[in-house]
Amino acid sequence: AKDAGRNTMRFYNPVMQTKVNHQSQMEAALRRALEGDNLQLHLQPQFDEGHKVFAMEALLRWQDPDMGWVSPADFIPVAESSGQIVPLGEWVMQKACQLLAGWQHHAAMKELILAVNISARQFYHPHFVEHIQSCIAHTGIDPHYLELEITESLLIDDLENTINKMNLLRGMGIRFSLDDFGTGYASLGYLKRLPLSSLKIDQTFVRDLLSDPNDEAIVSTIVALGKSLELKVIAEGVETLEQEERLKALKCQAFQGYYFGRPAPAEHWLETL
Ligand code: C2E
Ligand code: CA
Ligand code: CA
Ligand code: CA
C-alpha cells in the first residue's frame, strides 16, 4: 500500500498537487464557513437612465479566519465542483428573501428588485424550486421582486427541461435575467423561448468600449436584440462617465458598475437610498 501510495504521488506534478491541496483546503474552509458565521451578502445597485436605482444584485462575500477575504471568483468554482454550491446557494436565497421582506415593509425600498446569482448545478438540483418556494413562504415576500441571474451555461444541457423549470418559476412570479451575455453559447433561437426579463451585457465588452470598435458593435447588437425581444438590457462593469455616455449613445438604458456604486452591505444602501 505504501508503494502504491508512492506511485500515485508520481502522477502529480507540483502544480497539480498544489491545485489538489488548494481545492481540498478550500472545501474544508467552505464547510466551516457554512457552519459558522463568515458569510455575508453585499449588494450592488443597478441604475436606469435617470440614475434611479431599480434593482440590487446580491454578491456573496466570505471572510475565512485563516485566508482572509476569499474572492467568489476563486471559491464559487470550488463550490460548484464539490457540490457545496447547493447549501451555499440556499444560504444566499434565504438571506436574499429576508432582505426583500425587510424592503417590502419600507416605503423607499419596496419597488426594488433583488437579483440573485444561480449556478447551473443549483438550478438543476431536484429541490431547487421547492427550496425557493419555502423561502418565499417563510418570509412572505412578493416573488415578483425576486430575480434569478442565470448564465448561458445553463442552456447547454437539456433545453426542454430548463425551459420547463424556468416557466414553473416564472409562473410563481420570479424574474430571470441572462448574465454575462455574449460570452457563452446562447443561440438567438433559444433566447426567444426563455421567459427572460433582462440581458446583462458582459463586462468584458464594456471594458474596452471606448477603444475597440468590435466591442461597440457587439454592444449595439445586444441592445438591438434586447429591444426586439422586449428585454431590459443592463451594461455591467461600468467604471467611468465616458463609458456611461458611450453606452447611452448606443441606446443602452440600464447600468451597473463601480462608477455607479460598488458592492456594499445592505445597511449601507438603506442609509444611502
Ligand atoms: P457576476 O455575477 O458577473 O458579478 C459581477 C462581478 O463584477 C462581481 O464580482 C462584482 O463585484 C464585479 N463588478 C461590479 N462592478 C464592476 C466594475 O465596474 N468593474 C469590475 N472590474 N468589476 C465589477 P464578484 O462579487 O467578485 O463576483 C464574481 C462572480 O462570482 C460573479 O460574477 C458570480 O458569477 C459569482 N457569484 C458571486 N456571488 C454569487 C452567489 O451568491 N451565487 C453564485 N452562484 N455565484 C456568485
Ligand atoms: Ca451576476
Ligand atoms: Ca455578470
Ligand atoms: Ca461573471
Side-chain angles (χ1 to χ4, degrees), residues 59-85:
L59 294 159
L60 189 53
R61 294 291 177 263
W62 170 30
Q63 190 172 28
D64 181 76
D66 302 325
M67 297 184 280
W69 291 100
V70 190
S71 161
D74 294 326
F75 72 79
I76 294 287
V78 172
E80 284 172 344
S81 77
S82 69
Q84 287 167 308
I85 193 67

PDB file of all heavy atoms in Angstrom, residues 59-85:
ATOM      1  N   LEU A  59     -24.237  39.784  -4.035  1.00  0.00           N
ATOM      2  CA  LEU A  59     -22.938  39.156  -4.309  1.00  0.00           C
ATOM      3  C   LEU A  59     -22.387  38.596  -3.002  1.00  0.00           C
ATOM      4  O   LEU A  59     -22.302  39.302  -1.991  1.00  0.00           O
ATOM      5  CB  LEU A  59     -21.979  40.175  -4.929  1.00  0.00           C
ATOM      6  CG  LEU A  59     -22.412  40.645  -6.326  1.00  0.00           C
ATOM      7  CD1 LEU A  59     -21.771  41.975  -6.694  1.00  0.00           C
ATOM      8  CD2 LEU A  59     -22.085  39.565  -7.374  1.00  0.00           C
ATOM      9  N   LEU A  60     -22.032  37.332  -3.046  1.00  0.00           N
ATOM     10  CA  LEU A  60     -21.622  36.627  -1.836  1.00  0.00           C
ATOM     11  C   LEU A  60     -20.217  37.048  -1.411  1.00  0.00           C
ATOM     12  O   LEU A  60     -19.335  37.205  -2.255  1.00  0.00           O
ATOM     13  CB  LEU A  60     -21.677  35.112  -2.131  1.00  0.00           C
ATOM     14  CG  LEU A  60     -21.497  34.153  -0.966  1.00  0.00           C
ATOM     15  CD1 LEU A  60     -22.459  34.451   0.173  1.00  0.00           C
ATOM     16  CD2 LEU A  60     -21.695  32.714  -1.461  1.00  0.00           C
ATOM     17  N   ARG A  61     -20.026  37.248  -0.119  1.00  0.00           N
ATOM     18  CA  ARG A  61     -18.718  37.599   0.432  1.00  0.00           C
ATOM     19  C   ARG A  61     -18.368  36.626   1.541  1.00  0.00           C
ATOM     20  O   ARG A  61     -19.215  36.276   2.354  1.00  0.00           O
ATOM     21  CB  ARG A  61     -18.745  39.029   0.991  1.00  0.00           C
ATOM     22  CG  ARG A  61     -18.944  40.094  -0.093  1.00  0.00           C
ATOM     23  CD  ARG A  61     -17.717  40.199  -0.994  1.00  0.00           C
ATOM     24  NE  ARG A  61     -17.867  41.136  -2.092  1.00  0.00           N
ATOM     25  CZ  ARG A  61     -18.205  40.796  -3.338  1.00  0.00           C
ATOM     26  NH1 ARG A  61     -18.480  39.536  -3.645  1.00  0.00           N
ATOM     27  NH2 ARG A  61     -18.268  41.708  -4.285  1.00  0.00           N
ATOM     28  N   TRP A  62     -17.106  36.209   1.564  1.00  0.00           N
ATOM     29  CA  TRP A  62     -16.661  35.212   2.533  1.00  0.00           C
ATOM     30  C   TRP A  62     -15.335  35.644   3.140  1.00  0.00           C
ATOM     31  O   TRP A  62     -14.373  35.881   2.419  1.00  0.00           O
ATOM     32  CB  TRP A  62     -16.510  33.842   1.843  1.00  0.00           C
ATOM     33  CG  TRP A  62     -15.849  32.794   2.675  1.00  0.00           C
ATOM     34  CD1 TRP A  62     -15.867  32.673   4.038  1.00  0.00           C
ATOM     35  CD2 TRP A  62     -15.057  31.704   2.196  1.00  0.00           C
ATOM     36  NE1 TRP A  62     -15.147  31.568   4.432  1.00  0.00           N
ATOM     37  CE2 TRP A  62     -14.645  30.959   3.322  1.00  0.00           C
ATOM     38  CE3 TRP A  62     -14.674  31.276   0.916  1.00  0.00           C
ATOM     39  CZ2 TRP A  62     -13.852  29.817   3.210  1.00  0.00           C
ATOM     40  CZ3 TRP A  62     -13.894  30.144   0.800  1.00  0.00           C
ATOM     41  CH2 TRP A  62     -13.493  29.428   1.951  1.00  0.00           C
ATOM     42  N   GLN A  63     -15.321  35.745   4.469  1.00  0.00           N
ATOM     43  CA  GLN A  63     -14.088  36.056   5.174  1.00  0.00           C
ATOM     44  C   GLN A  63     -13.689  34.845   6.006  1.00  0.00           C
ATOM     45  O   GLN A  63     -14.333  34.533   7.011  1.00  0.00           O
ATOM     46  CB  GLN A  63     -14.275  37.280   6.076  1.00  0.00           C
ATOM     47  CG  GLN A  63     -12.969  37.789   6.647  1.00  0.00           C
ATOM     48  CD  GLN A  63     -13.143  39.108   7.389  1.00  0.00           C
ATOM     49  OE1 GLN A  63     -14.212  39.412   7.919  1.00  0.00           O
ATOM     50  NE2 GLN A  63     -12.078  39.892   7.436  1.00  0.00           N
ATOM     51  N   ASP A  64     -12.638  34.160   5.580  1.00  0.00           N
ATOM     52  CA  ASP A  64     -12.150  32.984   6.307  1.00  0.00           C
ATOM     53  C   ASP A  64     -11.184  33.444   7.396  1.00  0.00           C
ATOM     54  O   ASP A  64     -10.384  34.354   7.172  1.00  0.00           O
ATOM     55  CB  ASP A  64     -11.436  32.044   5.327  1.00  0.00           C
ATOM     56  CG  ASP A  64     -10.937  30.793   6.023  1.00  0.00           C
ATOM     57  OD1 ASP A  64     -11.774  29.916   6.319  1.00  0.00           O
ATOM     58  OD2 ASP A  64      -9.717  30.697   6.296  1.00  0.00           O
ATOM     59  N   PRO A  65     -11.266  32.798   8.602  1.00  0.00           N
ATOM     60  CA  PRO A  65     -10.371  33.204   9.699  1.00  0.00           C
ATOM     61  C   PRO A  65      -8.886  33.090   9.313  1.00  0.00           C
ATOM     62  O   PRO A  65      -8.076  33.904   9.767  1.00  0.00           O
ATOM     63  CB  PRO A  65     -10.703  32.245  10.836  1.00  0.00           C
ATOM     64  CG  PRO A  65     -11.867  31.423  10.403  1.00  0.00           C
ATOM     65  CD  PRO A  65     -12.238  31.777   9.005  1.00  0.00           C
ATOM     66  N   ASP A  66      -8.512  32.114   8.487  1.00  0.00           N
ATOM     67  CA  ASP A  66      -7.099  31.953   8.095  1.00  0.00           C
ATOM     68  C   ASP A  66      -6.758  32.666   6.793  1.00  0.00           C
ATOM     69  O   ASP A  66      -5.754  33.356   6.700  1.00  0.00           O
ATOM     70  CB  ASP A  66      -6.747  30.464   7.927  1.00  0.00           C
ATOM     71  CG  ASP A  66      -7.005  29.688   9.210  1.00  0.00           C
ATOM     72  OD1 ASP A  66      -6.796  30.287  10.296  1.00  0.00           O
ATOM     73  OD2 ASP A  66      -7.436  28.533   9.122  1.00  0.00           O
ATOM     74  N   MET A  67      -7.614  32.498   5.781  1.00  0.00           N
ATOM     75  CA  MET A  67      -7.271  33.009   4.454  1.00  0.00           C
ATOM     76  C   MET A  67      -7.671  34.466   4.262  1.00  0.00           C
ATOM     77  O   MET A  67      -7.294  35.088   3.282  1.00  0.00           O
ATOM     78  CB  MET A  67      -7.940  32.156   3.366  1.00  0.00           C
ATOM     79  CG  MET A  67      -7.475  30.707   3.340  1.00  0.00           C
ATOM     80  SD  MET A  67      -8.208  29.775   1.981  1.00  0.00           S
ATOM     81  CE  MET A  67      -9.815  29.415   2.649  1.00  0.00           C
ATOM     82  N   GLY A  68      -8.494  34.989   5.173  1.00  0.00           N
ATOM     83  CA  GLY A  68      -8.991  36.354   4.974  1.00  0.00           C
ATOM     84  C   GLY A  68     -10.121  36.354   3.953  1.00  0.00           C
ATOM     85  O   GLY A  68     -10.802  35.345   3.781  1.00  0.00           O
ATOM     86  N   TRP A  69     -10.296  37.488   3.260  1.00  0.00           N
ATOM     87  CA  TRP A  69     -11.359  37.556   2.252  1.00  0.00           C
ATOM     88  C   TRP A  69     -11.002  36.669   1.075  1.00  0.00           C
ATOM     89  O   TRP A  69      -9.912  36.774   0.528  1.00  0.00           O
ATOM     90  CB  TRP A  69     -11.565  38.985   1.779  1.00  0.00           C
ATOM     91  CG  TRP A  69     -12.161  39.863   2.823  1.00  0.00           C
ATOM     92  CD1 TRP A  69     -11.488  40.757   3.620  1.00  0.00           C
ATOM     93  CD2 TRP A  69     -13.532  39.916   3.227  1.00  0.00           C
ATOM     94  NE1 TRP A  69     -12.369  41.356   4.480  1.00  0.00           N
ATOM     95  CE2 TRP A  69     -13.624  40.865   4.270  1.00  0.00           C
ATOM     96  CE3 TRP A  69     -14.693  39.253   2.817  1.00  0.00           C
ATOM     97  CZ2 TRP A  69     -14.821  41.181   4.900  1.00  0.00           C
ATOM     98  CZ3 TRP A  69     -15.888  39.565   3.444  1.00  0.00           C
ATOM     99  CH2 TRP A  69     -15.947  40.508   4.469  1.00  0.00           C
ATOM    100  N   VAL A  70     -11.932  35.833   0.693  1.00  0.00           N
ATOM    101  CA  VAL A  70     -11.714  34.988  -0.476  1.00  0.00           C
ATOM    102  C   VAL A  70     -12.679  35.471  -1.557  1.00  0.00           C
ATOM    103  O   VAL A  70     -13.859  35.696  -1.288  1.00  0.00           O
ATOM    104  CB  VAL A  70     -11.984  33.503  -0.153  1.00  0.00           C
ATOM    105  CG1 VAL A  70     -11.518  32.615  -1.294  1.00  0.00           C
ATOM    106  CG2 VAL A  70     -11.289  33.107   1.147  1.00  0.00           C
ATOM    107  N   SER A  71     -12.156  35.640  -2.753  1.00  0.00           N
ATOM    108  CA  SER A  71     -12.982  36.162  -3.842  1.00  0.00           C
ATOM    109  C   SER A  71     -13.935  35.084  -4.362  1.00  0.00           C
ATOM    110  O   SER A  71     -13.543  33.926  -4.518  1.00  0.00           O
ATOM    111  CB  SER A  71     -12.073  36.641  -4.974  1.00  0.00           C
ATOM    112  OG  SER A  71     -12.812  36.732  -6.174  1.00  0.00           O
ATOM    113  N   PRO A  72     -15.178  35.470  -4.670  1.00  0.00           N
ATOM    114  CA  PRO A  72     -16.107  34.491  -5.263  1.00  0.00           C
ATOM    115  C   PRO A  72     -15.556  33.891  -6.559  1.00  0.00           C
ATOM    116  O   PRO A  72     -15.858  32.748  -6.893  1.00  0.00           O
ATOM    117  CB  PRO A  72     -17.377  35.285  -5.543  1.00  0.00           C
ATOM    118  CG  PRO A  72     -17.204  36.615  -4.954  1.00  0.00           C
ATOM    119  CD  PRO A  72     -15.797  36.781  -4.503  1.00  0.00           C
ATOM    120  N   ALA A  73     -14.739  34.669  -7.261  1.00  0.00           N
ATOM    121  CA  ALA A  73     -14.149  34.139  -8.492  1.00  0.00           C
ATOM    122  C   ALA A  73     -13.289  32.904  -8.175  1.00  0.00           C
ATOM    123  O   ALA A  73     -13.103  32.036  -9.016  1.00  0.00           O
ATOM    124  CB  ALA A  73     -13.324  35.210  -9.180  1.00  0.00           C
ATOM    125  N   ASP A  74     -12.753  32.823  -6.931  1.00  0.00           N
ATOM    126  CA  ASP A  74     -11.962  31.662  -6.521  1.00  0.00           C
ATOM    127  C   ASP A  74     -12.806  30.567  -5.865  1.00  0.00           C
ATOM    128  O   ASP A  74     -12.600  29.393  -6.126  1.00  0.00           O
ATOM    129  CB  ASP A  74     -10.863  32.082  -5.529  1.00  0.00           C
ATOM    130  CG  ASP A  74      -9.827  32.973  -6.179  1.00  0.00           C
ATOM    131  OD1 ASP A  74      -9.545  32.755  -7.388  1.00  0.00           O
ATOM    132  OD2 ASP A  74      -9.311  33.891  -5.517  1.00  0.00           O
ATOM    133  N   PHE A  75     -13.748  30.961  -4.976  1.00  0.00           N
ATOM    134  CA  PHE A  75     -14.426  29.899  -4.238  1.00  0.00           C
ATOM    135  C   PHE A  75     -15.693  29.375  -4.916  1.00  0.00           C
ATOM    136  O   PHE A  75     -16.069  28.229  -4.685  1.00  0.00           O
ATOM    137  CB  PHE A  75     -14.676  30.283  -2.775  1.00  0.00           C
ATOM    138  CG  PHE A  75     -15.749  31.314  -2.512  1.00  0.00           C
ATOM    139  CD1 PHE A  75     -17.086  30.959  -2.519  1.00  0.00           C
ATOM    140  CD2 PHE A  75     -15.411  32.628  -2.226  1.00  0.00           C
ATOM    141  CE1 PHE A  75     -18.075  31.898  -2.260  1.00  0.00           C
ATOM    142  CE2 PHE A  75     -16.401  33.582  -1.967  1.00  0.00           C
ATOM    143  CZ  PHE A  75     -17.735  33.201  -1.989  1.00  0.00           C
ATOM    144  N   ILE A  76     -16.340  30.169  -5.763  1.00  0.00           N
ATOM    145  CA  ILE A  76     -17.544  29.656  -6.426  1.00  0.00           C
ATOM    146  C   ILE A  76     -17.220  28.440  -7.316  1.00  0.00           C
ATOM    147  O   ILE A  76     -17.904  27.421  -7.238  1.00  0.00           O
ATOM    148  CB  ILE A  76     -18.302  30.763  -7.214  1.00  0.00           C
ATOM    149  CG1 ILE A  76     -18.868  31.825  -6.264  1.00  0.00           C
ATOM    150  CG2 ILE A  76     -19.393  30.181  -8.104  1.00  0.00           C
ATOM    151  CD1 ILE A  76     -20.069  31.404  -5.421  1.00  0.00           C
ATOM    152  N   PRO A  77     -16.154  28.497  -8.123  1.00  0.00           N
ATOM    153  CA  PRO A  77     -15.822  27.304  -8.921  1.00  0.00           C
ATOM    154  C   PRO A  77     -15.531  26.069  -8.062  1.00  0.00           C
ATOM    155  O   PRO A  77     -15.922  24.960  -8.426  1.00  0.00           O
ATOM    156  CB  PRO A  77     -14.574  27.732  -9.708  1.00  0.00           C
ATOM    157  CG  PRO A  77     -14.649  29.217  -9.761  1.00  0.00           C
ATOM    158  CD  PRO A  77     -15.294  29.643  -8.477  1.00  0.00           C
ATOM    159  N   VAL A  78     -14.865  26.270  -6.912  1.00  0.00           N
ATOM    160  CA  VAL A  78     -14.607  25.146  -5.999  1.00  0.00           C
ATOM    161  C   VAL A  78     -15.937  24.596  -5.473  1.00  0.00           C
ATOM    162  O   VAL A  78     -16.171  23.378  -5.477  1.00  0.00           O
ATOM    163  CB  VAL A  78     -13.709  25.582  -4.813  1.00  0.00           C
ATOM    164  CG1 VAL A  78     -13.604  24.484  -3.767  1.00  0.00           C
ATOM    165  CG2 VAL A  78     -12.321  25.981  -5.318  1.00  0.00           C
ATOM    166  N   ALA A  79     -16.810  25.492  -5.053  1.00  0.00           N
ATOM    167  CA  ALA A  79     -18.114  25.073  -4.516  1.00  0.00           C
ATOM    168  C   ALA A  79     -18.960  24.386  -5.589  1.00  0.00           C
ATOM    169  O   ALA A  79     -19.707  23.457  -5.302  1.00  0.00           O
ATOM    170  CB  ALA A  79     -18.858  26.280  -3.948  1.00  0.00           C
ATOM    171  N   GLU A  80     -18.807  24.830  -6.817  1.00  0.00           N
ATOM    172  CA  GLU A  80     -19.550  24.187  -7.907  1.00  0.00           C
ATOM    173  C   GLU A  80     -19.055  22.766  -8.116  1.00  0.00           C
ATOM    174  O   GLU A  80     -19.845  21.838  -8.266  1.00  0.00           O
ATOM    175  CB  GLU A  80     -19.432  24.998  -9.204  1.00  0.00           C
ATOM    176  CG  GLU A  80     -20.316  26.236  -9.196  1.00  0.00           C
ATOM    177  CD  GLU A  80     -20.082  27.173 -10.379  1.00  0.00           C
ATOM    178  OE1 GLU A  80     -19.042  27.042 -11.067  1.00  0.00           O
ATOM    179  OE2 GLU A  80     -20.944  28.057 -10.593  1.00  0.00           O
ATOM    180  N   SER A  81     -17.741  22.576  -8.091  1.00  0.00           N
ATOM    181  CA  SER A  81     -17.240  21.229  -8.369  1.00  0.00           C
ATOM    182  C   SER A  81     -17.436  20.296  -7.181  1.00  0.00           C
ATOM    183  O   SER A  81     -17.599  19.096  -7.357  1.00  0.00           O
ATOM    184  CB  SER A  81     -15.788  21.261  -8.860  1.00  0.00           C
ATOM    185  OG  SER A  81     -14.926  21.476  -7.780  1.00  0.00           O
ATOM    186  N   SER A  82     -17.470  20.825  -5.940  1.00  0.00           N
ATOM    187  CA  SER A  82     -17.662  19.958  -4.776  1.00  0.00           C
ATOM    188  C   SER A  82     -19.141  19.712  -4.474  1.00  0.00           C
ATOM    189  O   SER A  82     -19.472  18.846  -3.674  1.00  0.00           O
ATOM    190  CB  SER A  82     -17.018  20.583  -3.538  1.00  0.00           C
ATOM    191  OG  SER A  82     -17.735  21.742  -3.151  1.00  0.00           O
ATOM    192  N   GLY A  83     -20.015  20.505  -5.075  1.00  0.00           N
ATOM    193  CA  GLY A  83     -21.445  20.396  -4.770  1.00  0.00           C
ATOM    194  C   GLY A  83     -21.864  21.315  -3.627  1.00  0.00           C
ATOM    195  O   GLY A  83     -23.050  21.462  -3.347  1.00  0.00           O
ATOM    196  N   GLN A  84     -20.886  21.973  -2.976  1.00  0.00           N
ATOM    197  CA  GLN A  84     -21.221  22.870  -1.860  1.00  0.00           C
ATOM    198  C   GLN A  84     -21.989  24.101  -2.329  1.00  0.00           C
ATOM    199  O   GLN A  84     -22.536  24.838  -1.511  1.00  0.00           O
ATOM    200  CB  GLN A  84     -19.938  23.311  -1.144  1.00  0.00           C
ATOM    201  CG  GLN A  84     -19.304  22.218  -0.316  1.00  0.00           C
ATOM    202  CD  GLN A  84     -17.883  22.593   0.119  1.00  0.00           C
ATOM    203  OE1 GLN A  84     -17.051  22.963  -0.717  1.00  0.00           O
ATOM    204  NE2 GLN A  84     -17.607  22.505   1.399  1.00  0.00           N
ATOM    205  N   ILE A  85     -22.017  24.307  -3.637  1.00  0.00           N
ATOM    206  CA  ILE A  85     -22.790  25.431  -4.168  1.00  0.00           C
ATOM    207  C   ILE A  85     -24.274  25.290  -3.813  1.00  0.00           C
ATOM    208  O   ILE A  85     -24.984  26.290  -3.716  1.00  0.00           O
ATOM    209  CB  ILE A  85     -22.605  25.562  -5.709  1.00  0.00           C
ATOM    210  CG1 ILE A  85     -23.134  26.896  -6.215  1.00  0.00           C
ATOM    211  CG2 ILE A  85     -23.263  24.402  -6.457  1.00  0.00           C
ATOM    212  CD1 ILE A  85     -22.373  28.103  -5.746  1.00  0.00           C
TER     213      ILE A  85
END
